[in-house]
Amino acid sequence: MTTWLLLALFIFIFQSGTILVLEYRRPANAMAWLFILFLFPIVGFVLYYFLAREYVRRRRVRRRGGLDEQRRGEILTKSHLINEPGDIPGGGFADEARLFRTLRKAGASPITGCNKSRVLTNGQMTYDAMMEAIRGAKHHIHFATYIYRDDEIGRMFRDAMIEKAKEGVQVRLIYDGIGSVSLSKSFFAAFEAAGAEYACFFPLRPAFMKKRMNYRNHRKILVVDGTKGFVGGINVGEEYLGRHKKLGFWRDTHLELEGDAVYGLQEVFLKDWELATKQRPSDPGFLPEHGCSGGEVVQIVAGGPNRRADAIHETLFAILATAKRRIWITTPYFIPSAGVVMALKTAALSGVDVRMIVPLIPDTKLVHAATMSYVDEMMSCGIRFWQYERGFIHAKVVIVDELIASVGTANMDLRSFFSNFETNAYLFHPDAIAALERDFLQDLKDSRELELSSFRKRSGGRKAAEALCRMLSPLL
């Protein structure tokens, strides 16, 4: 009996040590997996091996998904580059040379000055704009989405792309293997017959066997003819029109872009296509001269295992740390890194107006419980929380002063920061920031503010559930 106990102890210590060594960069991940290992010895380690060996495999994914330097050079040549902080309209960046350098270097993408943007504030507005762009396509349609439903909306987009493919337009679609796990190949029979192409990003079974389950393509990108692009929180499905029985009205934010920024979206899509298919399509029409007359400054920042750094996390941290007057955040999931927590706390303690809108009605109870576990400590530092009451809020927006705003696919959580393939657009123009500010203020009216004293009265069972979900939150 003693021999078996010693053997079991040795195995447990070996497994624990392996996790600690491999997850040294992510202490929160290590603690979550150690907790699972404690509850489920052996089984927990097997799960870790297949689901979470992210940093062992990451270099291999980067080698396959590295930037195309020739294409990048063409983008830099054709874009109207902003090389000095003083060149950004509004004057706010004149004294922010450090932040400007951080965005350019950590973001690993150019800040460009010839753009037009339009903020789209719900599913209907977004789908109308996207369908108009698709129906007007002349050369190509490049579409990437995390969730693609086989429902009325999914069939509407599929059929529109089929018609364009029959006209000779190049059509490529990427959907995620887990986000769209219920999508069958038969759904695309007519799509493929028309000459359109599609790819499943890391399909479920191969991803499990190749230990890529933790890599999910959470992007929502549409590029049409290389001159018009879309990015934001809206996938393809009826729930984004408010047809979900439980969630009701769906509040989200998407962007329509024209100009230099579309080159950035195109580069992201083509790199994902190569990673998913091992094909590298090349056509001069992918990066056309756009002739955009807009003067907005925009930066496209992509994050994911095929990038050299955690660009979205690093740039968002830098933006938050710069705040002098306000930080307004809308996010469906709030599971922040220690750095983001510290940036928000110190901002609030210094007098910055830090406000956060999160859902009242969750789409994922475990993640929502983890989100609420942060509320007490954040509110104690002066951060104010609102819960959206009109329906479900899925927008991913950050507004800092009148200086900069972020709209994109990345949630304010660890998965978006360190594991998922994500894309954010940073907006610098006063008009674009003002449009997002108006939407934020309207969302506040549709929300109720949490009071710290009342929040602390929640039941002991609820507090325990929140603590448990917070411990597991790096894996959610």
Side-chain angles (χ1 to χ4, degrees), residues 80-83 88 100 103-104 109-113 297-299 428:
H80 301 74
L81 304 180
I82 300 295
N83 294 314
I88 296 177
F100 183 82
L103 291 174
R104 289 185 66 191
S109 60
I111 300 173
T112 61
V297 176
V298 178
Q299 183 184 27
F428 300 77

Side-chain angles (χ1 to χ4, degrees), residues 194-258:
E197 299 178 78
Y198 70 95
C200 180
F201 194 92
F202 292 173
L204 183 58
R205 189 178 302 172
F208 181 79
M209 297 307 298
K210 294 180 180 180
K211 310 174 192 68
R212 292 175 181 162
M213 285 284 288
N214 211 33
Y215 299 146
R216 303 319 326 162
N217 194 323
H218 195 244
R219 308 197 214 271
K220 300 95 179 165
I221 292 173
L222 173 63
V223 177
V224 176
D225 292 343
T227 58
K228 182 166 289 190
F230 297 83
V231 64
I234 296 179
N235 291 288
V236 178
E238 292 182 355
E239 64 264 41
Y240 298 89
L241 296 180
R243 298 178 188 176
H244 193 287
K245 292 181 180 179
K246 174 189 171 184
L247 300 177
F249 176 75
W250 190 288
R251 167 71 180 92
D252 220 321
T253 299
H254 223 73
L255 277 182
E256 179 181 8
L257 295 168
E258 298 179 43

Side-chain angles (χ1 to χ4, degrees), residues 44 58 97 159 191 377 399 411 441 455 467:
R58 186 164 178 158
D159 295 346
F191 190 86
E377 65 176 288
I399 304 171
N411 298 304
L441 292 173
F455 183 75

Side-chain angles (χ1 to χ4, degrees), residues 12 15 33-47 472:
F12 183 80
Q15 293 173 343
W33 279 110
L34 287 174
F35 180 68
I36 292 176
L37 183 63
F38 178 78
L39 294 179
F40 307 103
I42 307 295
V43 174
F45 189 74
V46 172
L47 290 174
L472 296 174

Side-chain angles (χ1 to χ4, degrees), residues 9 129 186 209 248 267 319 327 340 377 405 416 447 469:
L9 179 61
S186 62
M209 297 307 298
E267 187 270 336
I319 291 168
I327 299 173
V340 167
E377 65 176 288
S416 286
S447 307
C469 291

Side-chain angles (χ1 to χ4, degrees), residues 176-191:
D176 185 76
I178 288 183
S180 306
V181 67
S182 61
L183 204 59
S184 66
K185 289 187 177 182
S186 62
F187 178 78
F188 290 111
F191 190 86

Side-chain angles (χ1 to χ4, degrees), residues 18-69:
T18 300
I19 291 173
L20 287 171
V21 169
L22 294 179
E23 296 292 339
Y24 74 96
R25 292 184 60 205
R26 302 283 183 264
N29 283 32
M31 289 301 298
W33 279 110
L34 287 174
F35 180 68
I36 292 176
L37 183 63
F38 178 78
L39 294 179
F40 307 103
I42 307 295
V43 174
F45 189 74
V46 172
L47 290 174
Y48 173 78
Y49 179 80
F50 281 103
L51 301 183
R53 291 185 64 206
E54 180 170 353
Y55 298 100
V56 176
R57 309 288 295 186
R58 186 164 178 158
R59 288 191 298 272
R60 300 181 189 178
V61 177
R62 282 175 174 169
R63 282 199 296 268
R64 287 187 56 197
L67 296 176
D68 186 315
E69 294 302 326

